[in-house]
Structure formats: structure tokens, C-alpha cells
Amino acid sequence: MDSAYEIMPPSDGFCQLREVAKLEGEGDGRTREKLSGAYALLFVEEGKGSIGLSGIRYAVTGGSALIAVPGTELEALAEEGERLRGTIVKFKPYLPTELSDEVHGASAYVPQAGFFSSNGRIALHGTEAWAEMARKLSDESAESSPLHRYRRFIRLQEIVCGCLEAGYAMELRSGAHPVERVKRHIEKHYREPLSLEKLAVNANVSPAYFSTWFKKATGQTPIHYLNDYRMKRASELMLPGADGSVKLKEIAQRVGLSDEFYFSRVFKKHTGMSPTVYMKKRPLNAASAIIPYSYHLLALGVAPAAGIFDYEPPQLLALGRRTFNLYSLSEHERFAKLRSLRPDVVLTHNLDSREEDLRTIAPLAIVPWGYNDVYEQLRMTGEWLDKRAEAEAWIGSYEEQERQARRLLAAHIGGETMAAFRFIHGQMRVYGARNIGHVLYRSLGWVPPERVRAHMKDPTFVWETISPERLLDYDADRIVVVCDRHSRQLFGKLQAGPEWSGLTAVRRGKVHCATEGWADYHPFALERQLADAVQWAAGRGPDAWNAK
């Protein structure tokens, strides 16, 4: 474990300086000791070597910083021919505790356990400056005036605070911070009986302090956070697309509450309505956290509270409601805006790594992405929002558009083969009957290359990454290419090679470079792609086919 320690800030307490010592890594004077009752911050100022903390060795150079907890066996060792020098700051943290008047008559302070719970590396920015502050602590130790002692006290608090901030940022990124760990524990075990005491054990904090500390970090008490999470999961079980046969008692049990009457009281407290009223609520105020499902909502005639639209189709304005477009916002700004809009449900897919963070905003309607096609995704979205008829209406409308397009292009397609390539992230992909291939193969009836047809026997196949040497395995009468702006150099290099010029479609001038919009996969994208294909397949669009 190189840097995985946990921190517990001192809140209204303070840190008391115990000693400032030199850190040395060679000769008879090299540092070897066991920390007794104090924490130690180790700042390496020059040299190269390693520091052992209770048997675990950390490679260090000038600028490294480590934390060691009480009881740690500390050993510094320089590499051969190197000097290893630095400063050790030993301190002890204290927390305030209210004692009775009979004992002290005022607040007293007691040592704090679990301040840093384990040894580890500290990722400090500008370590040299912190090491300089540590050296000043040593220089000031000979001064005994009240002002100098107070300056030394303040300097220590600044040093410890800087290390805490660095550790806190690291733990949030890694999910190791006790607050994040308790949240993850709740997400995993919310179906089980959970108490304040059990959650405090998971955070390695005393129950008396845990609730206050958790609320300072999140704005909610642990039990309120737990119940809020449980009610979000219960709400998902009561959405139209969930299992309608599940009784209220079973829903309560699925979220960790055995008493359905208590569940109803908690649900109303957190949502403002009883479970029965919630299940009858229509229409739901929906939002989407990903681009494709934002357009799915529009196809169902739903104007979302918020969505991510890389272009805004006329249908959005026609629905007559202001929808907030999250497209231009950062991830942090999107979450803040979604939270402020208070949607009833947020749509996302099963591969979304932000799932639990989104669930703190609203119940989730999860529509699997994977290998489901647009029709299945739209039907599932319709199930969640009680818009089944609207989903079937859109599918029927699009199928009519397909029939008309096939009649128009019957003479131009005539059993020809078609290959669909995409250049993205420095790779070349060949597609099956989903995404780029949906309109080409399913809507219009072009025949995929033989190797693609073999892949399409697997219902989960979407695309395959291929090398230029394998291009001839996907030879076809026509080719459609979609190239993102970052991969144009790769495509240009391929065009200059013999593999590309040897393709049938290239020799015949039957290569079409489609826009990046052909990489989109949602109802409105299919309609655009179908209309586009009718134009260039018949040779009517600008630069419809070219041999470049």
C-alpha cells in the first residue's frame, strides 16, 4: 500500500508539537526508531533512498513526504553513494470533549485516535515549501517567548492542515475516504438492517462523533442519507417500467425495511407523497443523463426537464416546454443543474459509472445499452415512463419511412454488398447491423460482406477493430466511411496504401465519406441517416460517391 491511508480531521481540536528531528539515511546516525504515542510527518529534502514504515519500504527522493502513525517502526536508508536528509515533525492531535462542571467546569481536550489511520505517502504540491516550514519549526524550538511559541503552534497547524488537504483529495479520488466508504457501504448493503453503530464501525469512528462528522461532510445525518438512498431505490421499484406485481410490503423488504407502515411514513417524509400516490403520478418529470436517451424521450413525445442534445431538433421546440440542454456544461455543472431541477426520474444506461452519484439526484430508469437496438431501447424507455403506445407509434412510423426508401432505391441497391467503416480513437472498426450499419443493412437492405455476415450471427456483435492488412477480408461493392476529427490522419495514411486502393469500391469510385452524425444511434439519428442515404445512394447529394 503506497499511499492508501485514511484521515480524520481534528474538527475543533488542535495538534500539539512533540518534537522536530533530523531525518538521516546513512552512517551510524541514520534514523531508526519506534514512534511512541505520536504521529510523524517525514519530509525528504535531498538525496535518494528508502524509508521503512513497520517493514514496508517506500522509495524516496528529495521532495517526498510520508505520514507515520503511532507505534510505527521507522528506518531511513540512503542508496549507495547518496545522502538522504530531511526533517521529522512529531505531533499529537487532540479533540474537544465536554466534561461535567464537577470535573473541569469547561471544555477539555483528549487525544484523538484515527487521525491518520495508517502509514502512507502524501502527494503534496510544492513539498519543498512544506519542508522549509518544518525546518523553521526546528529553528524556532530554541525560542521560548510566548509570541514565538504561538508562532510555532500556528505553523504546525498549517503543516498538518496541508497534509490533511492533500490526503483528503487523494482519498476522494480513490474512494478510500471514510465518507465515501460509508456511502459505498450503504449502496451495497441497503437491503440489510443497518444502524448508526454499524455505519460508524465501517468508518472506524466512534458512534458519538460519527453522526456529527458525517453531517458536516454531507449535509445529512447518516440515517437520513441511508433512508434517502433507500427511498430512491424504492421509487425505482414503483416506476411504471418496474414489476407491477410487487406489493408494497415486498418493496419495503427489498430496501431493508420490514414494516410496510414505517416504510410508508419514511417514503412520504422523503418524497412528499405516499407510495400509493407516487405510483399513480403521471406524467413523470424525466431527465436524461446521456445523449441517446435524451432523443428517445423526444421520440416518445416527452419534453425532458433536462437532456444532453448535441443538436436541437424542431420536435424539441414543438413540445412547448423549456428543456435545459446540458450539452455545453462540465460534468460537475451537469450534476448541479440536474439536482436543482429535481426530476422524478433520470434515464441512463447499465454501463454508466456515475450510476450511484446520479441516484443521489433522483430514482434511475436504467435502459441497457449493450447490444439492444434502437427499437428495444425505445420500448424499454416507454415501459419506464408508461409510454408504450408512443414507442410503438414511432417504430411504426419509421418502418413506413424504410419501406418508402427501399422502393426509391431498389434499382440502386440491387443486391450489392456494402461495408461500413469507422475511424475513431486511432482505430479502424467495421460495423454490423447496429449503429452505422442499422440504416445500411436493416433499413435499406444492402448486403454486408461475408465476414460481417458471419459476425452478425452473434446477436451481441456491434463492431470489430481491424488492421489495414485485413481490409480485403471486408471487400464490398460500396463503402461508407465515418471518420472523427482526431483520426483523419490515420484515414489519410490508409488511403495512400495498397490495401485501400485494392478494394472494389475504391476502384469503382463507390466510397462515401459520411458525416460524424452517422455514428449516433437514436431515433432522430436513424431518420436523418435514412434521408441522407436516400440522397447519396441515388447519386443526388453533393460528392455522393468518390474514389478518394
Side-chain angles (χ1 to χ4, degrees), residues 477-481 491 495 500 503-515 536-537 539 541-548:
D477 299 315
R478 300 189 187 221
I479 290 174
V480 166
V481 174
F491 182 39
Q495 287 175 296
W500 182 258
L503 294 172
T504 300
V506 175
R507 295 198 311 269
R508 294 179 180 177
K510 296 294 184 181
V511 176
H512 179 72
C513 292
T515 66
W536 51 252
D543 299 322
W545 298 98
N546 58 76
K548 295 180 180 179

Coordinates of all heavy atoms in Angstrom, one line a residue, residues 477-481 491 495 500 503-515 536-537 539 541-548:
D477 N -18.9 -4.0 -52.7 CA -19.2 -3.1 -53.9 C -19.2 -1.6 -53.5 O -18.9 -0.8 -54.3 CB -20.6 -3.5 -54.5 CG -20.6 -5.0 -55.0 OD1 -19.6 -5.4 -55.6 OD2 -21.5 -5.7 -54.6
R478 N -19.7 -1.3 -52.3 CA -19.7 0.1 -51.8 C -19.2 0.1 -50.4 O -19.2 -0.9 -49.7 CB -21.1 0.6 -51.9 CG -21.8 0.6 -53.3 CD -23.1 1.4 -53.2 NE -23.8 1.2 -54.5 CZ -24.4 2.3 -55.1 NH1 -24.4 3.5 -54.5 NH2 -25.1 2.1 -56.2
I479 N -18.7 1.3 -50.0 CA -18.2 1.5 -48.7 C -18.7 2.8 -48.2 O -18.7 3.8 -48.9 CB -16.6 1.5 -48.7 CG1 -16.0 0.2 -49.0 CG2 -16.1 2.1 -47.4 CD1 -14.5 0.1 -49.1
V480 N -19.1 2.8 -46.9 CA -19.3 4.1 -46.2 C -18.3 4.2 -45.1 O -18.0 3.3 -44.3 CB -20.8 4.1 -45.6 CG1 -20.9 5.2 -44.6 CG2 -21.8 4.2 -46.7
V481 N -17.7 5.4 -45.0 CA -16.7 5.7 -44.0 C -17.1 6.9 -43.1 O -17.6 7.9 -43.6 CB -15.3 6.1 -44.7 CG1 -14.3 6.5 -43.6 CG2 -14.8 4.9 -45.5
F491 N -6.8 7.9 -41.4 CA -7.5 7.5 -42.6 C -6.7 8.0 -43.8 O -6.6 7.2 -44.8 CB -8.9 8.2 -42.6 CG -9.7 7.9 -43.8 CD1 -9.8 6.6 -44.4 CD2 -10.5 8.9 -44.4 CE1 -10.6 6.3 -45.5 CE2 -11.3 8.6 -45.5 CZ -11.3 7.3 -46.0
Q495 N -5.4 5.6 -46.9 CA -5.8 5.8 -48.3 C -4.6 5.8 -49.3 O -4.7 5.5 -50.5 CB -6.5 7.2 -48.5 CG -7.9 7.2 -47.9 CD -8.5 8.6 -47.9 OE1 -8.0 9.5 -47.3 NE2 -9.6 8.7 -48.7
W500 N -5.9 -0.2 -49.3 CA -7.1 0.6 -49.6 C -7.4 0.7 -51.1 O -8.5 0.5 -51.6 CB -6.9 2.0 -49.1 CG -8.1 2.9 -49.3 CD1 -8.3 3.9 -50.3 CD2 -9.4 2.9 -48.6 NE1 -9.5 4.5 -50.2 CE2 -10.2 3.9 -49.1 CE3 -9.8 2.2 -47.5 CZ2 -11.5 4.2 -48.6 CZ3 -11.1 2.5 -47.0 CH2 -11.9 3.5 -47.6
L503 N -9.3 -2.2 -52.9 CA -10.7 -2.5 -52.6 C -11.6 -2.3 -53.8 O -11.4 -1.3 -54.5 CB -11.2 -1.7 -51.4 CG -10.6 -2.0 -50.1 CD1 -11.0 -1.0 -49.0 CD2 -11.0 -3.4 -49.6
T504 N -12.6 -3.1 -54.0 CA -13.5 -3.0 -55.2 C -14.2 -1.6 -55.2 O -14.3 -1.0 -56.2 CB -14.6 -4.1 -55.1 OG1 -13.9 -5.4 -55.2 CG2 -15.5 -4.0 -56.3
A505 N -14.7 -1.2 -54.1 CA -15.5 0.1 -54.0 C -14.6 1.2 -54.3 O -15.0 2.2 -55.0 CB -16.1 0.3 -52.6
V506 N -13.3 1.2 -53.9 CA -12.4 2.3 -54.2 C -12.1 2.3 -55.7 O -12.1 3.4 -56.3 CB -11.1 2.1 -53.4 CG1 -10.0 3.1 -53.8 CG2 -11.3 2.1 -51.9
R507 N -11.8 1.2 -56.3 CA -11.5 1.1 -57.8 C -12.7 1.6 -58.6 O -12.5 2.3 -59.6 CB -11.2 -0.3 -58.2 CG -9.9 -0.8 -57.6 CD -9.4 -2.0 -58.3 NE -10.4 -3.0 -58.6 CZ -10.7 -4.0 -57.7 NH1 -10.0 -4.2 -56.6 NH2 -11.6 -4.9 -58.0
R508 N -13.9 1.4 -58.1 CA -15.1 1.8 -58.9 C -15.6 3.2 -58.5 O -16.6 3.7 -59.1 CB -16.3 0.8 -58.6 CG -15.9 -0.6 -59.2 CD -17.1 -1.5 -58.9 NE -16.8 -2.9 -59.4 CZ -17.7 -3.9 -59.3 NH1 -18.8 -3.7 -58.6 NH2 -17.4 -5.1 -59.8
G509 N -15.0 3.8 -57.5 CA -15.5 5.2 -57.1 C -16.8 5.1 -56.4 O -17.6 6.0 -56.5
K510 N -16.9 4.1 -55.5 CA -18.1 3.9 -54.7 C -17.9 4.0 -53.2 O -18.3 3.1 -52.5 CB -18.8 2.6 -55.1 CG -19.3 2.5 -56.5 CD -20.4 3.5 -56.8 CE -21.0 3.3 -58.2 NZ -22.0 4.3 -58.5
V511 N -17.1 5.0 -52.8 CA -16.8 5.2 -51.4 C -17.5 6.5 -51.0 O -17.3 7.6 -51.7 CB -15.3 5.3 -51.2 CG1 -15.0 5.7 -49.7 CG2 -14.6 4.1 -51.6
H512 N -18.3 6.5 -49.9 CA -19.0 7.7 -49.4 C -18.4 8.0 -48.0 O -18.5 7.2 -47.1 CB -20.5 7.5 -49.4 CG -21.2 8.7 -48.8 ND1 -21.4 9.8 -49.5 CD2 -21.8 8.9 -47.6 CE1 -22.0 10.7 -48.8 NE2 -22.3 10.1 -47.6
C513 N -17.9 9.2 -47.9 CA -17.5 9.7 -46.6 C -18.7 10.4 -45.9 O -19.0 11.5 -46.3 CB -16.3 10.6 -46.7 SG -14.8 9.8 -47.3
A514 N -19.3 9.7 -44.9 CA -20.4 10.3 -44.2 C -20.0 11.2 -43.1 O -18.9 11.2 -42.7 CB -21.3 9.1 -43.7
T515 N -20.9 12.0 -42.6 CA -20.7 12.9 -41.5 C -20.6 12.1 -40.2 O -21.0 10.9 -40.1 CB -21.8 13.9 -41.4 OG1 -23.0 13.3 -41.0 CG2 -22.0 14.7 -42.7
W536 N -27.6 10.3 -51.2 CA -26.3 9.9 -51.8 C -26.3 8.5 -52.5 O -25.5 8.2 -53.4 CB -25.1 10.1 -50.9 CG -25.2 9.5 -49.5 CD1 -25.3 10.1 -48.4 CD2 -25.0 8.1 -49.2 NE1 -25.3 9.3 -47.3 CE2 -25.1 8.0 -47.7 CE3 -24.8 6.9 -49.9 CZ2 -25.0 6.8 -47.1 CZ3 -24.7 5.7 -49.2 CH2 -24.8 5.7 -47.8
A537 N -27.2 7.6 -52.1 CA -27.2 6.3 -52.7 C -27.7 6.4 -54.2 O -27.3 5.7 -55.0 CB -28.2 5.4 -51.9
G539 N -27.1 9.0 -55.9 CA -26.2 10.0 -56.6 C -26.7 11.4 -56.6 O -26.2 12.1 -57.5
G541 N -26.9 13.6 -53.9 CA -26.3 14.5 -52.9 C -24.9 15.0 -53.4 O -24.3 14.5 -54.3
P542 N -24.4 16.1 -52.9 CA -23.1 16.6 -53.2 C -22.0 15.7 -52.8 O -22.0 15.1 -51.7 CB -23.0 17.9 -52.4 CG -23.9 17.8 -51.3 CD -25.1 16.9 -51.8
D543 N -21.1 15.4 -53.8 CA -20.0 14.4 -53.5 C -20.5 13.1 -53.0 O -20.0 12.5 -52.1 CB -19.0 15.0 -52.5 CG -18.3 16.3 -53.0 OD1 -18.1 16.4 -54.2 OD2 -18.1 17.2 -52.2
A544 N -21.6 12.6 -53.7 CA -22.3 11.4 -53.2 C -21.3 10.2 -53.1 O -21.2 9.6 -52.1 CB -23.4 11.1 -54.1
W545 N -20.6 10.0 -54.2 CA -19.7 8.9 -54.2 C -18.4 9.4 -54.8 O -18.3 10.2 -55.7 CB -20.2 7.7 -55.1 CG -21.4 7.1 -54.6 CD1 -22.7 7.4 -55.0 CD2 -21.6 6.2 -53.5 NE1 -23.6 6.7 -54.3 CE2 -22.9 5.9 -53.4 CE3 -20.7 5.6 -52.7 CZ2 -23.4 5.0 -52.4 CZ3 -21.1 4.7 -51.7 CH2 -22.5 4.4 -51.6
N546 N -17.3 9.0 -54.2 CA -16.0 9.4 -54.7 C -15.0 8.3 -54.5 O -15.2 7.5 -53.6 CB -15.5 10.7 -54.1 CG -15.4 10.6 -52.6 OD1 -14.5 10.0 -52.1 ND2 -16.4 11.2 -51.9
A547 N -13.9 8.4 -55.2 CA -12.9 7.4 -55.1 C -11.7 7.7 -54.2 O -10.7 7.1 -54.2 CB -12.3 7.1 -56.5
K548 N -11.9 8.8 -53.5 CA -10.8 9.3 -52.6 C -10.7 8.4 -51.4 O -11.7 8.0 -50.8 CB -11.0 10.8 -52.2 CG -11.0 11.7 -53.4 CD -11.2 13.1 -53.0 CE -11.1 14.1 -54.2 NZ -11.4 15.5 -53.8

